Amino acid sequence: TQDDVIQQLADEVVDKRRSLLGNVLVHDADGIWTKTQYGEGDGISFGAVGDDFLTGIPDEEKEEKALVVWASQTGTAKKFAKHLYKRLGGANRCVIKSLRDVSVRGVAKHKRVYFVCSTFGMGRPPSVGELFYSLLQLEAMRCKENFEDLSEFGSDESKPLQGTSVAIAALGSSQFKHFAKFGHGLEVELKALGATMAQDVTTLDAAKGKSEQKQAFRVWEETVVTMEKERLMGWVTPRQAKRSSLVSAKALLAAKSLAS
């Protein structure tokens, strides 16, 4: 049957990955290499071999600017993410990227990350997020195994995403069985790597209509904007710091001029 053929191909892919990784255990808990449905077709999704095991980044080395990440199949999540980016102050206050252009290490470099993502097929990420998600799951498995080993020796090594806080807006339609599944799966893997949730996953249901979904996003967005204002209270952007130093320098020169 078609399922048997797909399973056979999936097994071959996993065996190939095992050989590439030195015959270590390969994570396949959520269908990274197994059957995935894309619309009416079936396929196999798998990513490239990831970097060496990641370690935590000290808080003082993390980027204050928030990272806004989008993963969209039809464009709605991308549009929402761009709106959030503007509301947060644009380039002065945050960075925006497609999930295609984000790595686990890249997420770890930020103190706060906001994901706006849809779900595709049988609970999978949009095509732009397949590689990231497969590597994220693999890294989560490696992290679990590594820390189980380290715990035997009393190690206090931090997890890769420790010190990074995330919030997720998960788009989807409750008309489908796997409603917003990718958003919830993303939460599980990020938490496994040490990230904390700034708030619970927020689902944005397209089954209620586009206007209702948009309104639900705006409510979530307002919460995010408020959190960012509180988080960055007292933080000065590089541009503001430069402007402040120029003003201080001019004031100093003026004071010297008066003194003379």
Side-chain angles (χ1 to χ4, degrees), residues 53-54 138-148 159-160 192-194:
F53 181 79
L54 301 177
L138 180 59
E139 196 63 49
M141 180 212 68
R142 294 168 67 189
C143 180
K144 181 176 182 295
E145 291 185 341
N146 186 66
F147 275 86
E148 285 178 349
K159 291 185 177 181
L193 285 171

Short mmCIF file of all heavy atoms in Angstrom, two decimals, residues 53-54 138-148 159-160 192-194:
data_model
loop_
_atom_site.label_atom_id
_atom_site.label_comp_id
_atom_site.label_asym_id
_atom_site.label_seq_id
_atom_site.Cartn_x
_atom_site.Cartn_y
_atom_site.Cartn_z
N PHE A 53 26.21 20.20 19.98
CA PHE A 53 25.27 20.44 21.07
C PHE A 53 25.39 21.86 21.58
O PHE A 53 26.47 22.34 21.87
CB PHE A 53 25.51 19.44 22.20
CG PHE A 53 24.57 19.60 23.34
CD1 PHE A 53 23.29 19.08 23.25
CD2 PHE A 53 24.95 20.28 24.49
CE1 PHE A 53 22.40 19.23 24.31
CE2 PHE A 53 24.06 20.43 25.53
CZ PHE A 53 22.79 19.90 25.45
N LEU A 54 24.26 22.55 21.68
CA LEU A 54 24.24 23.93 22.10
C LEU A 54 24.30 24.06 23.62
O LEU A 54 23.73 23.25 24.33
CB LEU A 54 22.97 24.62 21.59
CG LEU A 54 22.77 24.64 20.08
CD1 LEU A 54 21.44 25.29 19.75
CD2 LEU A 54 23.90 25.40 19.40
N LEU A 138 15.23 17.62 17.22
CA LEU A 138 16.45 16.83 17.38
C LEU A 138 17.30 17.40 18.51
O LEU A 138 17.83 16.66 19.34
CB LEU A 138 17.24 16.83 16.07
CG LEU A 138 18.56 16.04 16.07
CD1 LEU A 138 18.31 14.58 16.43
CD2 LEU A 138 19.25 16.16 14.72
N GLU A 139 17.40 18.73 18.57
CA GLU A 139 18.18 19.37 19.62
C GLU A 139 17.55 19.13 20.99
O GLU A 139 18.26 18.95 21.99
CB GLU A 139 18.27 20.87 19.35
CG GLU A 139 19.35 21.58 20.13
CD GLU A 139 20.74 21.10 19.79
OE1 GLU A 139 21.08 21.02 18.60
OE2 GLU A 139 21.49 20.77 20.73
N ALA A 140 16.22 19.13 21.05
CA ALA A 140 15.53 18.87 22.31
C ALA A 140 15.82 17.46 22.81
O ALA A 140 16.02 17.24 24.02
CB ALA A 140 14.02 19.07 22.15
N MET A 141 15.86 16.50 21.90
CA MET A 141 16.18 15.13 22.28
C MET A 141 17.62 15.03 22.77
O MET A 141 17.91 14.43 23.80
CB MET A 141 15.97 14.19 21.09
CG MET A 141 16.28 12.73 21.41
SD MET A 141 16.92 11.81 20.00
CE MET A 141 18.51 12.59 19.79
N ARG A 142 18.53 15.66 22.04
CA ARG A 142 19.95 15.64 22.43
C ARG A 142 20.14 16.33 23.78
O ARG A 142 20.95 15.88 24.60
CB ARG A 142 20.79 16.33 21.36
CG ARG A 142 20.80 15.62 20.02
CD ARG A 142 21.39 16.48 18.93
NE ARG A 142 22.82 16.72 19.14
CZ ARG A 142 23.53 17.58 18.41
NH1 ARG A 142 22.95 18.28 17.46
NH2 ARG A 142 24.82 17.74 18.64
N CYS A 143 19.39 17.40 24.00
CA CYS A 143 19.48 18.13 25.27
C CYS A 143 19.03 17.24 26.41
O CYS A 143 19.67 17.17 27.46
CB CYS A 143 18.63 19.39 25.20
SG CYS A 143 18.65 20.40 26.70
N LYS A 144 17.93 16.54 26.22
CA LYS A 144 17.38 15.65 27.26
C LYS A 144 18.40 14.56 27.61
O LYS A 144 18.68 14.30 28.78
CB LYS A 144 16.08 15.02 26.78
CG LYS A 144 15.43 14.09 27.80
CD LYS A 144 14.09 13.58 27.27
CE LYS A 144 13.39 12.70 28.30
NZ LYS A 144 14.14 11.46 28.57
N GLU A 145 18.97 13.94 26.58
CA GLU A 145 19.94 12.87 26.82
C GLU A 145 21.19 13.41 27.50
O GLU A 145 21.71 12.81 28.44
CB GLU A 145 20.31 12.20 25.50
CG GLU A 145 19.19 11.40 24.88
CD GLU A 145 19.65 10.65 23.64
OE1 GLU A 145 20.70 11.02 23.08
OE2 GLU A 145 18.98 9.70 23.24
N ASN A 146 21.67 14.57 27.04
CA ASN A 146 22.89 15.14 27.59
C ASN A 146 22.72 15.52 29.05
O ASN A 146 23.59 15.24 29.88
CB ASN A 146 23.28 16.39 26.78
CG ASN A 146 24.62 16.97 27.20
OD1 ASN A 146 25.66 16.35 27.03
ND2 ASN A 146 24.59 18.17 27.75
N PHE A 147 21.57 16.13 29.39
CA PHE A 147 21.38 16.57 30.77
C PHE A 147 21.06 15.42 31.70
O PHE A 147 21.32 15.50 32.90
CB PHE A 147 20.29 17.65 30.83
CG PHE A 147 20.83 19.03 30.57
CD1 PHE A 147 20.95 19.49 29.28
CD2 PHE A 147 21.26 19.82 31.61
CE1 PHE A 147 21.49 20.74 29.03
CE2 PHE A 147 21.79 21.07 31.38
CZ PHE A 147 21.91 21.54 30.08
N GLU A 148 20.53 14.34 31.17
CA GLU A 148 20.36 13.15 32.00
C GLU A 148 21.72 12.59 32.38
O GLU A 148 21.93 12.14 33.50
CB GLU A 148 19.53 12.10 31.25
CG GLU A 148 18.05 12.43 31.18
CD GLU A 148 17.26 11.39 30.39
OE1 GLU A 148 17.89 10.54 29.73
OE2 GLU A 148 16.02 11.43 30.44
N LYS A 159 20.62 24.93 30.13
CA LYS A 159 20.08 24.47 28.86
C LYS A 159 20.23 25.58 27.82
O LYS A 159 20.34 26.76 28.16
CB LYS A 159 18.62 24.08 29.04
CG LYS A 159 18.43 22.82 29.88
CD LYS A 159 16.97 22.41 29.92
CE LYS A 159 16.79 21.11 30.69
NZ LYS A 159 15.37 20.67 30.72
N PRO A 160 20.20 25.22 26.51
CA PRO A 160 20.45 26.18 25.43
C PRO A 160 19.57 27.43 25.45
O PRO A 160 20.03 28.52 25.15
CB PRO A 160 20.21 25.36 24.17
CG PRO A 160 20.52 23.96 24.57
CD PRO A 160 20.04 23.86 25.99
N ALA A 192 11.46 22.33 26.43
CA ALA A 192 12.40 21.24 26.68
C ALA A 192 13.84 21.73 26.61
O ALA A 192 14.74 21.16 27.25
CB ALA A 192 12.19 20.12 25.65
N LEU A 193 14.07 22.80 25.85
CA LEU A 193 15.41 23.36 25.71
C LEU A 193 15.68 24.48 26.73
O LEU A 193 16.70 25.15 26.65
CB LEU A 193 15.61 23.89 24.29
CG LEU A 193 15.82 22.80 23.23
CD1 LEU A 193 15.79 23.39 21.83
CD2 LEU A 193 17.15 22.08 23.46
N GLY A 194 14.74 24.68 27.65
CA GLY A 194 14.97 25.62 28.74
C GLY A 194 14.28 26.96 28.62
O GLY A 194 14.38 27.79 29.53
#
